[in-house]
Amino acid sequence: MSQKTIITGTGIPLTGNDIDTDRIIPARFLRNITFDGLGEQVFADDRTALKGKHSFDLPQYQNANILVVNANFGCGSSREHAPQSLSRWGISAIIGESFAEIFLGNCLTMGIPCVTTSSGNIKSIQNLLEVNPSIVMTLDLETMKVQCGHYSSTVKMDSGARNMLTTGKWDTCGLLTQNNEQIKATALKLPYLAWN
């Protein structure tokens, strides 16, 4: 089972409201048959426009795994490619002011916790990450707190989504393989599988 309770690592600040899924992964990359290679293309157009100054290009954030965003992150079209590209870049949790509903659901399906906190808390965390990119961050889904160095704040998440992450129920494939013996036993009892 893939319980998600505590995510520790470093953070990457990404400022700006209403960052939509087309900015996260431009539409031309949706033609790929698999999600392979999407991590390299995350924020492709924004990164090109900023000529190496985008957070995802800066060397101090290359190993970050906790993304810190502002309001209405992941709005726009409902492409699963957006959280897939973030995950394949290395993001394992997102802390923001608010998230678009379908993006939030897609993240949950992939086991990426998306938690919210106030605009002031987000700004404080983003400022800390800009000053000290190597500062250690911890997101604790049991206590519902985020720690960024000495700075700590409470975070919020829908209780159902939190339960799915902390119990591992988000991982439907994991649930199936965990019950492998029961599945085999049931399959043996099904008459249409026993036909000669």
Side-chain angles (χ1 to χ4, degrees), residues 8-11 66 129 132-138 147-151:
T8 301
T10 56
I66 301 174
L129 295 173
N132 184 3
S134 62
I135 198 167
V136 175
M137 289 188 70
T138 300
Q147 186 89 29
C148 185
H150 296 298
Y151 186 85

Side-chain angles (χ1 to χ4, degrees), residues 5-20:
T5 52
I6 297 175
I7 295 93
T8 301
T10 56
I12 178 169
L14 184 65
T15 57
N17 295 326
D18 307 313
I19 294 177
D20 64 42

Side-chain angles (χ1 to χ4, degrees), residues 116-158:
T116 60
T117 189
S118 71
S119 174
N121 285 334
I122 291 295
K123 190 171 289 189
S124 295
I125 295 169
Q126 288 174 333
N127 289 341
L128 285 167
L129 295 173
E130 287 172 8
V131 172
N132 184 3
S134 62
I135 198 167
V136 175
M137 289 188 70
T138 300
L139 172 60
D140 190 328
L141 295 181
E142 292 180 335
T143 63
M144 291 306 290
K145 288 190 177 179
V146 63
Q147 186 89 29
C148 185
H150 296 298
Y151 186 85
S152 177
S153 73
T154 58
V155 292
K156 295 179 184 175
M157 171 184 260
D158 173 77

